[in-house]
């Protein structure tokens, strides 16, 4: 005998229960297929379903940059896009920057310049800096500061972050406004 | 976020058909405003219509020598387009003054126009807000209103439009191209956004079944004498308290044409033709700038916490007009205001 549906019982018949969607992402060079609810953000897809927890969730509202990843080579905030909107895209996360055991130059420079304290913002900082370098618009430390302003560091490691990026871009750090850790 | 159905528009006609058939559906482009508002439960669309696959990402010259910018051109690409850098640096500068590089990579030209206010009560679903829930009241009047408007307000809403890009588009007299069930139309920028009046829930005059397809810039870009001066609580990654876009056409020390638009002060980018007319035909002197600023702010009114914006706007206008007249526009990397 037919029972009333759970939706009818709870009076929620107007709220649809949309079908899950299938999404293919090329994450760090590997094709990954996911079947997820459409409201899954790219950030949640990476962290919850692909076990790539290097990318951090800070604010979840586009305000901190901790979730920065590269999509088709460009840096974006993964918390403000849906995974389904990036179907077919190439996604690079912090886990995809090193070549085998060799750290990415930015990773190495962040260590050498002591460019973090708690480290929570660091994956976002490094992915953002990788995007910044690829954009090729920066000539001065002032421009690095401005174009890294989408990445907040609650520990205030900014001087050393700028120094690390300068070292990778220009071969040396010119910023002397803070401790350098070299 | 509420449950919603995800769909993709295959072309502009399909997008119009889809939005017209479901009043609770929404387009999504960059997602940087809509997805944020959905997470806050302020926006609760039944369906998202993903328009990011539509072919609206081109920048082309128009027949009259202007520029047509597709609605899906990312803010970062627009700011750095060679034609924008060379001919419309005011627009590029305003875009680079806003948000962050990551957000600008995501944000679209069309979505930027339709981003909603950052009024904290609008975001806080536990408080009354006429924009979010018409008829419930305005919590900002008599509440915390430091970020709020000083011009064109109503007793129903004192919110500001948060966009930087739109302030430059207002100064440049851009046009918005939209397509709906009854075809395509072109909307003058000044007619696009609305004042709150007694319908603060409506930010713009775009119809419910319309999609923005492009922005058109007229040929004149004021590339020689312009500035975008944005004043905010921190030097980057913050919305404007007050911003000023200026474009001047100066010949032999005399201003032939003046454009002056303000952000952060009203429900829409604020222009005052009378103030511009006062500058036109006059020498570019401080006395004339003072008079123009007075004209713009004659009817300005504060609501307590934002009273300071009136004086800030006055000084900002003087500074921005001087920067533009000198040909030394505000740098968006070196933030010192000169
Ligand atoms: C932390 C943060 C800081 C920011 N700082 C600034 C700042 O300082 N200055 C500034 O100017 N902006 C700032 N922004 C706002 C940002 O510029 C906007 O969110 C962005 O421009 C919106 O574009 P989008 O493509 O992501 O829009 P979406 O979020 O995709 O859409 C926004 C709205 O527009 C509608 N829409 C989108 N495209 C179309 C179309 N073609 N036709 C019809 N409707 C359409 C959608 O349905 C939705 O209602 C900031 C945002 C964040 C999150
Ligand atoms: S100012 Fe406008 S958006 Fe803010 S609470 Fe009042 S009605 Fe709402
Ligand atoms: S988690 Fe995405 S910007 Fe903060
Ligand atoms: S190192 Fe702690 S937030 Fe940046």
């Amino acid at each position: 005998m037919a029972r009333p549906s759970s939706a009818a019982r709870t009076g929620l018949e107007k709220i649809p229960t949309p079908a899950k969607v299938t999404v293919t992402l090329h994450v760090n060079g590997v094709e990954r297929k996911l079947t997820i609810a459409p409201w899954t953000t790219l950030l949640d897809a990476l962290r919850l379903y692909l076990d790539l927890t290097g990318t951090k969730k800070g604010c979840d509202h586009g305000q901190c940059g901790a979730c920065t990843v590269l999509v088709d080579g460009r840096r974006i905030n993964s918390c403000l896009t849906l995974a389904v909107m990036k179907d077919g895209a190439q996604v690079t996360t912090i886990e995809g920057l090193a070549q085998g055991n060799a750290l990415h130059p930015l990773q190495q420079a962040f260590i050498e310049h002591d460019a973090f304290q708690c480290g929570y913002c660091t994956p976002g900082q490094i992915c953002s800096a990788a995007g910044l370098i690829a954009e090729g618009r920066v000539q001065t430390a002032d421009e690095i500061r401005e174009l890294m302003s989408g990445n907040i560091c609650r520990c205030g490691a900014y001087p050393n972050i700028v120094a690390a990026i300068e070292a990778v871009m220009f071969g040396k750090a010119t910023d002397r406004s803070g401790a350098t850790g070299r | 976020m509420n449950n919603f159905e995800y769909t993709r528009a295959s072309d502009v006609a399909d997008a119009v058909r889809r939005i017209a058939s479901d009043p609770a559906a929404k387009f999504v482009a960059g997602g940087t405003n809509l997805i944020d508002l959905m997470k806050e439960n302020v926006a609760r669309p039944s369906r998202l219509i993903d328009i990011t696959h539509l072919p609206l990402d081109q920048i082309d010259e128009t027949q009259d020598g202007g520029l047509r910018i597709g609605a899906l051109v990312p803010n970062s690409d627009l700011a750095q387009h060679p034609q924008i850098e060379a001919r419309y640096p005011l627009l590029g500068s305003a875009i680079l003054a806003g948000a962050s590089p990551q957000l600008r990579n995501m944000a679209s030209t069309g979505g930027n126009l339709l981003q909603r206010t950052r009024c904290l009560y609008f975001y806080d679903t536990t408080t009354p807000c006429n924009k979010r829930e018409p008829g419930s009241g305005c919590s900002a009047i008599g509440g915390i209103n430091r970020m709020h408007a000083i011009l064109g307000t109503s007793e129903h809403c004192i919110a500001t439009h948060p966009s930087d890009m739109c302030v430059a588009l207002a100064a440049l007299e851009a046009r918005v191209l939209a397509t709906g069930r009854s075809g395509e139309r072109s909307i003058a920028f000044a007619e696009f956004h609305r004042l709150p009046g007694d319908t603060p829930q409506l930010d713009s005059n775009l119809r419910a079944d319309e999609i923005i397809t492009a922005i058109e810039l007229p040929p004149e870009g004021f590339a020689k004498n312009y500035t975008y001066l944005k004043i905010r609580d921190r030097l980057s990654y913050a919305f404007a308290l007050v911003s000023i876009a200026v474009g001047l056409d100066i010949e032999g020390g005399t201003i032939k044409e003046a454009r002056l638009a303000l952000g952060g002060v009203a429900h829409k980018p604020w222009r005052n033709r009378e103030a511009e007319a006062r500058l036109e035909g006059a020498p570019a002197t401080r006395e004339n700038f003072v008079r123009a600023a007075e004209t713009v702010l004659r009817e300005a009114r504060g609501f307590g916490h934002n009273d300071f914006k009136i004086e800030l706007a006055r000084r900002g206008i003087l500074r921005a007009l001087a920067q533009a007249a000198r040909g030394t526009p505000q740098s968006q990397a070196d933030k010192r205001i000169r």
Side-chain angles (χ1 to χ4, degrees), chain B residues 1 43-44 49 55 58 62 79 87 100 138 141 150 154-155 161 181 210 215 221-222 230 233 236-237 240 243 294:
Chain B
M1 258 193 264
R44 289 184 294 273
I49 306 165
Q58 300 295 310
T62 56
R87 296 175 53 202
S100 70
C138 171
I141 299 175
I150 52 171
S154 79
E155 57 180 313
H161 191 266
R181 266 176 309 185
E210 283 180 322
I215 302 290
F222 302 95
K230 178 176 179 181
D233 282 326
S236 303
Y237 206 8
S243 70
E294 271 165 11

Side-chain angles (χ1 to χ4, degrees), chain A residues 115-122 125 152-157 161:
Chain A
F116 47 83
Q117 189 178 333
C118 76
Y120 198 80
C121 71
T122 312
Q125 300 279 1
I152 308 289
C153 175
R154 193 64 187 81
C155 299
I161 293 170

Side-chain angles (χ1 to χ4, degrees), chain A residues 43 56-68 76-80 120 150, chain B residues 39 102-103 237:
Chain A
L43 175 61
K56 300 299 183 225
K57 183 183 282 191
C59 64
D60 211 20
H61 290 282
Q63 298 176 1
C64 75
C67 65
T68 304
I76 68 159
N77 302 104
S78 61
C79 68
L80 286 187
Y120 198 80
Chain B
K39 289 183 181 188
Q102 291 96 314
L103 288 162
Y237 206 8

Side-chain angles (χ1 to χ4, degrees), chain A residues 34-116:
Chain A
L34 286 166
T35 303
I36 48 176
W39 46 87
T40 311
T41 60
L42 177 59
L43 175 61
D44 285 344
L46 292 169
R47 289 182 55 87
L48 301 178
Y49 301 117
L50 297 175
D51 289 330
L52 292 167
T53 53
T55 307
K56 300 299 183 225
K57 183 183 282 191
C59 64
D60 211 20
H61 290 282
Q63 298 176 1
C64 75
C67 65
T68 304
V69 299
L70 302 168
V71 171
D72 296 328
R74 293 160 67 111
R75 49 179 167 158
I76 68 159
N77 302 104
S78 61
C79 68
L80 286 187
T81 193
L82 301 174
V84 63
M85 292 175 68
K86 300 298 171 198
D87 193 19
Q90 302 281 340
V91 181
T92 305
T93 69
I94 188 71
E95 290 92 342
L97 288 181
Q99 302 278 325
N101 283 332
L103 290 180
H104 186 280
L106 280 164
Q107 291 173 312
Q108 191 63 46
F110 267 59
I111 294 170
E112 282 166 16
H113 291 267
D114 197 16
F116 47 83

Side-chain angles (χ1 to χ4, degrees), chain B residues 4-333:
Chain B
F4 60 85
E5 197 188 332
Y6 172 84
T7 64
R8 246 174 232 165
S10 55
D11 54 34
V12 169
D14 181 47
V16 170
R17 216 174 303 123
R18 284 173 190 271
I19 200 91
S21 70
D22 182 356
K26 282 225 166 273
F27 294 131
V28 64
T32 60
N33 190 230
L34 181 58
I35 293 175
D36 190 27
L37 289 169
M38 287 168 68
K39 289 183 181 188
E40 299 282 8
N41 245 348
V42 175
R44 289 184 294 273
S46 58
R47 181 174 301 176
L48 281 192
I49 306 165
D50 184 348
I51 57 172
T52 56
H53 300 271
L54 302 184
L56 302 174
D57 57 354
Q58 300 295 310
I59 299 180
D60 304 299
E61 278 191 52
T62 56
Q63 290 209 329
D64 68 353
L67 224 51
R68 184 187 164 110
I69 303 154
L72 289 171
V73 174
N75 289 180
S76 49
D77 292 16
L78 179 55
Q80 290 160 7
H81 191 275
Q83 289 266 16
I84 296 294
E85 287 188 333
R87 296 175 53 202
Y88 305 95
L90 169 58
L91 179 57
S93 183
I95 293 171
L96 294 176
S100 70
Q102 291 96 314
L103 288 162
R104 296 194 293 265
N105 276 344
M106 305 169 79
S108 67
T109 303
N112 192 308
L113 266 59
L114 292 170
Q115 63 174 297
R116 308 215 65 192
T117 186
R118 308 302 290 205
C119 170
L120 290 176
Y121 300 108
F122 176 70
Y123 268 78
D124 180 354
T125 54
T126 65
T127 59
C129 167
N130 287 326
K131 187 180 279 299
R132 179 168 29 76
E133 222 174 288
S136 63
C138 171
S139 300
I141 299 175
I144 306 287
N145 50 40
R146 188 166 179 279
M147 294 299 288
H148 289 73
I150 52 171
L151 285 162
T153 53
S154 79
E155 57 180 313
H156 303 288
C157 179
I158 60 170
T160 57
H161 191 266
S163 169
D164 290 297
M165 184 179 94
C166 289
V167 184
L169 290 174
L172 292 168
E173 293 191 347
R175 298 190 72 86
V176 183
L177 301 190
T179 300
R181 266 176 309 185
S182 47
E184 185 177 67
R185 65 181 177 126
S186 162
I187 309 161
F189 209 79
E191 307 300 320
F192 185 78
H193 293 103
R194 298 166 60 96
L195 288 180
D198 56 8
T199 51
Q201 68 274 21
L202 301 176
D203 297 344
S204 81
N205 288 315
L206 194 73
R207 296 178 194 135
D209 67 333
E210 283 180 322
I211 179 171
I212 299 174
T213 54
I215 302 290
E216 272 185 6
L217 297 178
E220 176 60 72
F222 302 95
K224 253 182 72 197
N225 293 97
Y226 76 95
T227 197
Y228 187 74
L229 176 60
K230 178 176 179 181
I231 303 160
R232 47 192 145 173
D233 282 326
R234 58 181 185 201
L235 289 178
S236 303
Y237 206 8
F239 288 94
L241 291 166
V242 171
S243 70
I244 304 104
V246 177
L248 300 174
D249 181 6
I250 302 182
E251 238 181 61
T254 301
I255 300 171
K256 276 179 57 197
E257 196 173 353
R259 301 283 175 79
L260 172 61
L262 270 66
V265 297
H267 200 256
K268 61 189 280 188
W270 191 262
R271 263 185 81 192
N272 181 318
R273 268 306 297 152
E274 194 193 331
E276 292 172 353
R278 278 181 164 255
L279 290 166
E280 289 167 2
T285 59
R286 189 174 166 89
E287 300 76 68
N288 289 325
F289 298 164
V290 169
R291 240 170 274 146
E294 271 165 11
T295 307
V296 173
L297 297 166
R298 205 168 40 215
E299 267 144 42
R301 169 184 168 212
F303 291 83
H305 301 107
N306 69 347
D307 292 349
F308 74 97
K309 278 195 180 184
I310 301 173
E311 178 60 15
L312 187 64
R314 195 185 68 81
R315 295 186 193 195
I317 292 170
L318 299 186
R319 188 66 69 122
L321 284 168
Q323 288 183 337
R326 279 200 312 259
T328 55
Q330 178 62 42
S331 160
Q332 303 303 348

